[in-house]
Amino acid sequence: MTTQSNTPAGWYPDPHGAARTLRYWDGARWTDHTHADQQAQAAPAQPPAAPHVPAQPAAPDPRVQRQVQQQAGVAAGGPGGGGLFSEPVLVVNQKAKLIELTNEYTVMDQHGNQLGSVVQVGQSALRKVVRFLASIDQYLTHKLEIRDAHGRPVLRLTRPAKFLKSRVIVERPDGQPVGEIVQQNVFGKINFAMTANGQQVGAIKAENWRAWNFAIVDHADNEVARITKTWEGLAKTLFTTADNYVLQIHYQLPEPLLSLVVATALTVDTALKQDSRGLG
């Protein structure tokens, strides 16, 4: 059988285990030519390593593909860079819970491969009790971490306590500021400004009064990305609080706009924290 190998042709210890026997490797396969090893006491040459067979990627998840292509209307595309900041499409699915005490989201690419997660952090036991018993949790401070596929934080977000308007502070894991996402209005179609170093670098504009779908624009009001809420199914809608979103980034964005766009898409549900009307 012919295989690919970088091992040069030559005589090597018999891979079949024959004592003090050398077998000829022609650079691609073992031959039938053998002879006695005259230097059996010397350190034998190493046989060629088994050819490396790259791991096959997991088959695409049809549920995620349906969510992206049919529900969000995003055309199938080629592979991206494999990370939270290099994929053109991010799928954000909230973990379904009958009683939601902590916000948790899984982040995948358009084929269903997990890229990371969003986890709410810093909640005390008392805070969870309050969340279970009352609806005032939406007005309290929320802290979240965006983590990569290995569980390492890549962004930290804080939404301070709010009354009507939300504000999300975005930082690197070392505390270096990235920018802020600030709600601009309460009534009508909700809009957020994305700011960095005191300058507006973009905006998030709800396309309907229930704040389900968003267009994301740069400082010149050109659309650079889009967030689409996808229907999670009747059972989840009736019995859980799970929300699912698809983020489509139209082209590679510069920093800090890229990090703010990713932060927006991965935390839009917490930033708005819909009340009965779907407002923040």
Side-chain angles (χ1 to χ4, degrees), residues 57-93:
D61 187 330
R63 294 170 300 177
V64 173
Q65 288 187 312
R66 183 170 58 253
Q67 181 180 349
V68 172
Q69 298 173 25
Q70 297 180 17
Q71 297 184 24
V74 177
L84 289 170
F85 301 102
S86 58
E87 286 288 334
V89 176
L90 295 179
V91 180
V92 187
N93 288 351

Side-chain angles (χ1 to χ4, degrees), residues 11-14 18-22 37-48:
W11 295 94
Y12 297 95
D14 186 13
R20 299 184 179 182
T21 300
L22 298 179
D37 185 0
Q38 301 299 323
Q39 300 179 348
Q41 301 303 318
Q46 294 297 318

Side-chain angles (χ1 to χ4, degrees), residues 174-202:
D174 61 1
Q176 179 183 354
V178 175
E180 295 188 2
I181 304 165
V182 184
Q183 186 173 343
Q184 299 295 293
N185 62 313
V186 175
F187 302 104
K189 298 178 181 179
I190 300 300
N191 292 321
F192 288 80
M194 294 185 290
T195 64
N197 298 319
Q199 301 292 322
Q200 184 166 340
V201 297

